[in-house]
Amino acid sequence: MTSRILWIAVLASFVAFLDGTIVNVALPAIDRELGGGLVTQQWVVDGYFITLGAIMLVAGSISDAYGRSLVMRIGLIGFGIASVIITIAPDPLILIAARMLQGAAGAFLVPSSLALISAHYSGAARAKAIGTWTALTTGAMIVGPLIGGLLVDFASWRFAFLINVIPIAITLWLLRKVPDPPRRDKAHIDILGAVLSILGLGGMVFGLIEQPRLGWGHPAIPITLLGGGVLFILFLLRQRRVNDPILPLDLFRARNFWVGNITTTLMYGALSLNGFVLAIYLQEDAGLTATAAGLASLPTTIMMILFSSTSGRLAGKWGPRLFMAFGPILMGVGSLMLLLVSQDFNYWWQVLPAMIVFGLGLAATVSPLTSTVLGAIEEERSGIASAVNNAISRVAGLIAIALVGTIVGGAIDLTGFHRAAVAVAVLLIAGGLVSLVGIRNPKSPAPEDSPAEGARG
């Protein structure tokens, strides 16, 4: 049974990760067919992030109330239905609505996957299972851009989303005989908090995305920005009063938790901005095919696979502070190396070295960062700590994408690409400096052979 549980967890998470890596490669083709320019491209990404980030916070409570297997089935079916709608979407509005549905469904997949592992494994077996889950789901970072690029070039961008149906069907079949563990008594779902979070984030993101097009003089911009801000503040205030908060604010009393989440915000905002701009620029301005653009960032993923476990082991031995400071700064250097890109484009000399340096910095950072954030909170609350950290990374990504138009000056041409590279570098270097100043190494670092590595969804 346990091997079945692990495969279910891997496949369910793989669906969400695969979609996230495919979409950037498909954006130029979506624009060519449906129109809408940069604004539509932003909403295709951020529509997914809004519902994913907001609902992921409440997903743990929903799983406790209704059962992890049931919630995962609902998430998988919803994700599959949304994927089918995307493949037949006749205009940008329906496409964006389907992406928001996809994000809402995807919010249940990663937390439910880790919850299933936690419920059916314990001790060393749990750590090994999470390590296997991390290694296998990382494969989505490799195959996603490649599969997406091939489908865009030789079939249609629509099939890049329809391919989700295959792992969804396999996972649903495996889930048939998986029982749910006992549910927590009196589990409570803060529906009002979830609504305030979604509307607050949605209002602010709408204003940020539409401002370059509509201008500050348009009444919709200040109304949505201020209204969204007020609703999100109400959401935070509500979290202080409810018995089962979606976002337990007391978690942030732990120094490494709040410092680690500031680093998470800066780093994952930079990662989302970099991935979005790079995929579009390489196709629309540098003239690469979708397949080539998808493969362009492969060296970064290879560096992650080769060195992430080593950085996690060494951080467990020496403490995470050095890795969480040096890694983002090295990534920032890699981003600044993209300033070498010119009108006379050459991937091998202008992009590849930057991707390698960027990947080394990312490999040095991710495992220590996740382990530090989760290790700052007592083990019995590690699930909600993981959900909060994952949600923060998604919200950081959606805000960064919402600001793309402002950052690049309205167009992802060479000038806009350079401006984005500088913005990414600033965010990453700031994240490294925050860790350098704020992170505290454990007084007694874990033995070399027993660091607990977290996993990011």
Side-chain angles (χ1 to χ4, degrees):
M1 175 63 75
T2 53
S3 61
R4 176 190 287 258
I5 294 296
L6 182 57
W7 276 110
I8 290 170
V10 167
L11 286 170
S13 300
F14 192 88
V15 168
F17 293 157
L18 183 68
D19 188 84
T21 56
I22 280 178
V23 65
N24 284 340
V25 178
L27 291 174
I30 291 172
D31 179 43
R32 287 194 297 270
E33 182 173 336
L34 299 183
L38 180 60
V39 171
T40 292
Q41 292 173 324
Q42 288 174 277
W43 273 112
V44 168
V45 176
D46 268 356
Y48 180 85
F49 275 156
I50 288 171
T51 50
L52 181 75
I55 296 177
M56 187 176 286
L57 288 172
V58 76
S61 299
I62 296 175
S63 294
D64 287 342
Y66 296 104
R68 297 177 182 95
S69 296
L70 175 61
V71 167
M72 184 176 285
R73 287 189 185 93
I74 294 171
L76 288 165
I77 293 170
F79 206 96
I81 291 172
S83 298
V84 172
I85 295 174
I86 289 172
T87 64
I88 60 175
D91 56 55
L93 184 61
I94 293 178
L95 173 62
I96 293 165
R99 284 285 291 169
M100 295 184 76
L101 174 60
Q102 206 173 38
F108 296 113
L109 298 182
V110 175
S112 295
S113 299
L114 292 173
L116 274 177
I117 290 176
S118 296
H120 290 86
Y121 292 84
S122 61
R126 178 186 297 172
K128 183 178 179 181
I130 290 178
T132 303
W133 176 90
T134 303
L136 293 175
T137 52
T138 299
M141 297 175 64
I142 298 176
V143 302
L146 177 58
I147 292 175
L150 289 170
L151 289 171
V152 169
D153 284 337
F154 298 104
S156 168
W157 63 266
R158 297 175 184 274
F159 291 106
F161 293 94
L162 190 62
I163 198 170
N164 294 321
V165 173
I166 297 173
I168 287 173
I170 295 172
T171 311
L172 286 171
W173 182 80
L174 291 173
L175 265 172
R176 291 174 305 150
K177 298 179 180 180
V178 175
D180 265 320
R183 304 176 189 179
R184 180 162 58 89
D185 292 337
K186 299 180 181 179
H188 174 70
I189 301 172
D190 183 14
I191 296 176
L192 177 58
V195 171
L196 288 172
S197 175
I198 293 171
L199 293 180
L201 288 172
M204 290 186 289
V205 168
F206 178 90
L208 292 173
I209 290 178
E210 296 293 334
Q211 185 278 324
R213 183 175 68 89
L214 299 178
W216 288 109
H218 196 286
I221 301 304
I223 290 174
T224 53
L225 284 173
L226 292 174
V230 169
L231 289 175
F232 196 74
I233 290 172
L234 291 175
F235 162 73
L236 294 176
L237 292 173
R238 178 172 174 80
Q239 300 314 290
R240 299 177 61 183
R241 299 197 305 269
V242 294
N243 292 328
D244 293 312
I246 295 174
L247 178 61
L249 298 179
D250 64 304
L251 292 174
F252 292 90
R253 294 173 184 166
R255 182 186 182 94
N256 277 3
F257 186 81
W258 66 260
V259 173
N261 275 297
I262 292 176
T263 301
T264 295
T265 301
L266 294 167
M267 191 175 88
Y268 280 85
L271 285 171
S272 295
L273 177 61
N274 177 74
F276 182 90
V277 172
L278 186 66
I280 293 176
Y281 177 80
L282 291 180
Q283 294 180 68
E284 294 188 345
D285 204 276
L288 297 188
T289 64
T291 304
L295 290 172
S297 59
L298 183 60
T300 297
T301 305
I302 292 174
M303 295 300 104
M304 277 279 292
I305 294 172
L306 290 177
F307 299 113
S308 283
S309 61
T310 300
S311 68
R313 176 174 56 83
L314 293 177
K317 180 180 180 182
W318 298 334
R321 183 180 177 216
L322 176 64
F323 295 87
M324 290 175 60
F326 172 75
I329 291 173
L330 185 60
M331 292 167 67
V333 172
S335 185
L336 290 175
M337 290 170 67
L338 290 174
L339 295 177
L340 295 172
V341 173
S342 65
Q343 293 290 357
D344 186 17
F345 181 79
N346 185 300
Y347 171 79
W348 302 105
W349 299 109
Q350 297 174 1
V351 178
L352 178 60
M355 294 294 98
I356 293 173
V357 173
F358 197 92
L360 287 171
L362 187 62
T365 309
V366 170
S367 182
L369 171 60
T370 307
S371 296
T372 298
V373 169
L374 298 187
I377 304 300
E378 56 272 20
E379 186 175 349
E380 60 268 23
R381 304 183 76 194
S382 61
I384 187 62
S386 176
V388 169
N389 185 241
N390 273 277
I392 285 173
S393 70
R394 299 308 192 275
V395 171
L398 79 88
I399 292 173
I401 300 302
L403 289 170
V404 163
T406 301
I407 292 170
V408 303
I412 304 180
D413 52 14
L414 182 61
T415 301
F417 179 75
H418 285 166
R419 292 177 63 173
V422 172
V424 168
V426 168
L427 290 171
L428 290 169
I429 293 171
L433 294 176
V434 165
S435 293
L436 181 64
V437 173
I439 291 295
R440 296 290 181 264
N441 286 333
K443 293 181 180 179
S444 300
E448 184 175 347
D449 61 348
S450 61
E453 289 191 18
R456 174 172 306 282

